[in-house]
Amino acid sequence: QVRLVESGGGLVQPGGSLRLSCTASGRMLSINDMGWYRQAPGKERELVAAITRSGTTNYADSVKGRFTISRDNAANTVHLQMNTLESEDTAVYYCNAAVVVTLWGARELWGQGTLVTVSS
């Protein structure tokens, strides 16, 4: 049984910074792609950033230049450094990971979500 747990959300003023973390725990062989999604009130869940096991990254246009995704494979952890935060960044942020639990396939898992509120 594998689970993802996020941390680091909170209240930040516009222009401030926040760092989110997500750790996978349980029995697994490896983790392929990892990423962060977010969902604002009344909006659909959207991809914020993703990173492959080798370190290739992909960002939503709205966060390019402000957010940085990284991972620590030994710790089964992915981070999202968020700088120059705007009110539009307010959302629940969800961790996502493709976890290899058997030799023949991977499971797509989601964390419980962590709330980020950007307000003065």
Side-chain angles (χ1 to χ4, degrees):
Q1 185 176 354
V2 181
R3 60 195 294 261
L4 305 179
V5 179
E6 303 106 329
S7 63
L11 175 64
V12 194
Q13 294 184 342
S17 298
L18 207 61
R19 186 171 186 256
L20 306 182
S21 298
C22 171
T23 298
S25 61
R27 296 181 179 181
M28 69 197 84
L29 298 177
S30 63
I31 305 176
N32 292 333
D33 292 356
M34 303 186 79
W36 290 94
Y37 290 71
R38 68 185 181 187
Q39 187 167 24
K43 302 292 185 180
E44 296 295 318
R45 187 174 299 186
E46 64 174 350
L47 175 67
V48 177
I51 184 169
T52 68
R53 183 170 179 83
S54 62
T56 301
T57 59
N58 185 37
Y59 296 92
D61 289 340
S62 60
V63 307
K64 286 182 178 178
R66 299 188 298 118
F67 291 10
T68 302
I69 188 171
S70 61
R71 64 188 290 171
D72 182 344
N73 291 336
N76 296 324
T77 299
V78 62
H79 305 281
L80 185 67
Q81 179 66 47
M82 303 183 292
N83 297 325
T84 320
L85 284 162
E86 306 167 349
S87 60
E88 292 79 9
D89 296 316
T90 296
V92 177
Y93 285 70
Y94 296 91
C95 178
N96 173 265
V99 181
V100 181
V101 297
T102 67
L103 293 176
W104 58 87
R107 295 170 56 192
E108 198 82 11
L109 300 180
W110 293 90
Q112 81 285 354
T114 184
L115 177 63
V116 172
T117 302
V118 185
S119 177
S120 60

